[in-house]
Amino acid sequence: GVVDVKYLKKIRPYVIIGCFVVGMVLTPPDIFSQTLLAVPMWLLFEVGVLCGSMIRKRSAHDEEANDHNDQPPATQP
């Protein structure tokens, strides 16, 4: 619940540019090396967005339904 998947999809172009900028700064002045560093970072971001979209957020109604089934019913003496 830290970041919404819609927000991650919205900033996707900035993340792609950021990956290539980081690749540019951390590698020698070679487009091949820059790409070899930027593409895996970008793919990790996309995998994170994909996994985040698969996880369903729990609603308050689901939590209330689960609270009643946490313990077995009490027995009377």
Side-chain angles (χ1 to χ4, degrees), residues 12-31:
R12 179 180 283 150
Y14 302 109
V15 170
I16 295 170
I17 298 298
C19 288
F20 279 94
V21 168
V22 168
M24 177 185 65
V25 170
L26 295 179
T27 59
D30 176 24
I31 191 72

Side-chain angles (χ1 to χ4, degrees), residues 6-63:
K6 290 179 187 177
Y7 177 72
L8 291 176
K9 290 180 181 180
K10 180 181 170 184
I11 65 166
R12 179 180 283 150
Y14 302 109
V15 170
I16 295 170
I17 298 298
C19 288
F20 279 94
V21 168
V22 168
M24 177 185 65
V25 170
L26 295 179
T27 59
D30 176 24
I31 191 72
F32 186 69
S33 299
Q34 175 185 357
T35 304
L36 284 177
L37 184 62
V39 170
M41 286 193 298
W42 176 35
L43 290 177
L44 282 173
F45 172 78
E46 293 296 333
V47 168
V49 170
L50 180 67
C51 290
S53 64
M54 285 189 210
I55 297 174
R56 187 176 64 96
K57 198 173 191 179
R58 283 185 128 180
S59 65
H61 178 67
D62 291 341
E63 291 177 7

Side-chain angles (χ1 to χ4, degrees), residues 62-73:
D62 291 341
E63 291 177 7
E64 289 176 6
N66 290 337
D67 287 343
H68 298 294
N69 298 331
D70 284 347
Q71 298 177 355

